[in-house]
């Protein structure tokens, strides 16, 4: 009897459910937006992921950086590692006391293209550890800007706080606003 129950139990596979759940999506409207913020993030997931298509109003350059802050913390409480490549060369940088994470968007000088990025925020609700982020982003300018054919940026780092993350803010570094149709989507990842 035990053998039969074991065979039946081993064939009873759990139903596959989606690992990602949409929490919120923001699309920038006409006139642009100086920041995009997700707030009141529930602590019911294992990890968070943000996917985005972004362009800023930095008109004289093909790229712009996106600065990312957690829980409105503007102090030097972030560590950052970054690797940038453009097909011809690669550069690396690091900072142990920065005031944000780093990603990439296009500038409006790159015509109508938008940079794309994915940020994973690991164990964001765990109050026993610092928070780790990994970000992959890039932009293709279709040769519209001299010297800016396209770039990819891989960055990672940590936020030296044990607080649960409840707010994520994105803002351009050199432009003053994200342009219309820039889109940011926040997902919760089940553990």
């Amino acid at each position: 009897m035990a053998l039969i129950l074991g065979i039946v139990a081993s064939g009873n596979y759990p139903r596959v459910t989606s690992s990602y759940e949409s929490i919120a999506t923001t699309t920038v409207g006409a006139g642009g937006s100086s920041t995009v913020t997700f707030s009141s993030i529930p602590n019911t997931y294992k990890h968070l992921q943000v996917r985005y298509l972004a362009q800023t109003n930095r008109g004289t350059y093909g790229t712009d950086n996106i600065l990312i802050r957690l829980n409105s913390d503007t102090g030097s409480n972030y560590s950052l590692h970054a690797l940038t490549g453009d097909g011809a060369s690669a550069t690396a940088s690091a900072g142990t006391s920065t005031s944000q994470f780093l990603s990439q968007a296009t500038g409006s000088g790159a015509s109508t293209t938008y940079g794309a990025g994915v940020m994973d925020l690991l164990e964001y609700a765990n109050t026993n550890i610092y928070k780790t982020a990994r970000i992959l982003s890039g932009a293709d300018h279709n040769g519209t800007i001299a010297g800016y054919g396209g770039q990819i940026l891989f960055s990672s780092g940590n936020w030296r706080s044990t607080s649960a993350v409840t707010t994520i803010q994105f803002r351009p570094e050199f432009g003053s606003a994200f342009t219309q149709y820039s889109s940011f989507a926040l997902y919760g990842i089940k553990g």
Side-chain angles (χ1 to χ4, degrees), residues 5-186:
L5 290 177
I7 293 170
V8 171
S10 69
N12 187 13
Y13 301 107
R15 284 184 283 174
V16 176
T17 59
S18 175
S19 296
Y20 293 80
E21 288 185 4
S22 176
I23 298 173
T25 300
T26 297
T27 300
V28 175
S33 179
S34 60
T35 62
V36 170
T37 303
F38 294 109
S39 58
S40 301
I41 298 170
N43 64 357
T44 53
Y45 301 97
K46 181 76 169 176
H47 311 294
L48 296 175
Q49 185 175 88
V50 183
R51 304 172 193 172
Y52 44 94
L53 297 172
Q55 181 190 75
T56 77
N57 63 357
R58 186 184 192 196
T60 56
Y61 290 89
T63 60
D64 198 350
N65 292 327
I66 299 175
L67 305 180
I68 305 166
R69 290 185 171 147
L70 307 178
N71 290 9
S72 303
D73 183 358
T74 60
S76 298
N77 301 313
Y78 302 78
S79 297
L80 176 67
H81 313 91
L83 178 63
T84 305
D86 63 9
S89 63
T91 58
S93 60
T96 57
S97 295
T98 65
S99 59
Q100 65 268 318
F101 293 131
L102 183 66
S103 186
Q104 189 175 73
T106 57
S108 59
S111 185
T112 59
T113 63
Y114 287 72
V118 176
M119 178 180 86
D120 291 315
L121 192 56
L122 308 178
E123 297 198 49
Y124 75 102
N126 187 336
T127 57
N128 296 311
I129 62 170
Y130 292 162
K131 308 310 176 284
T132 299
R134 60 184 176 205
I135 305 165
L136 179 62
S137 59
D140 179 13
H141 310 126
N142 297 320
T144 57
I145 304 296
Y148 290 94
Q151 277 185 331
I152 189 166
L153 169 67
F154 177 70
S155 63
S156 64
N158 72 17
W159 177 48
R160 293 185 301 277
S161 174
T162 57
S163 297
V165 175
T166 58
T167 302
I168 305 173
Q169 181 192 72
F170 300 83
R171 67 181 178 87
E173 182 174 18
F174 300 108
S176 61
F178 292 110
T179 60
Q180 185 177 15
Y181 307 121
S182 293
S183 181
F184 295 75
L186 174 64

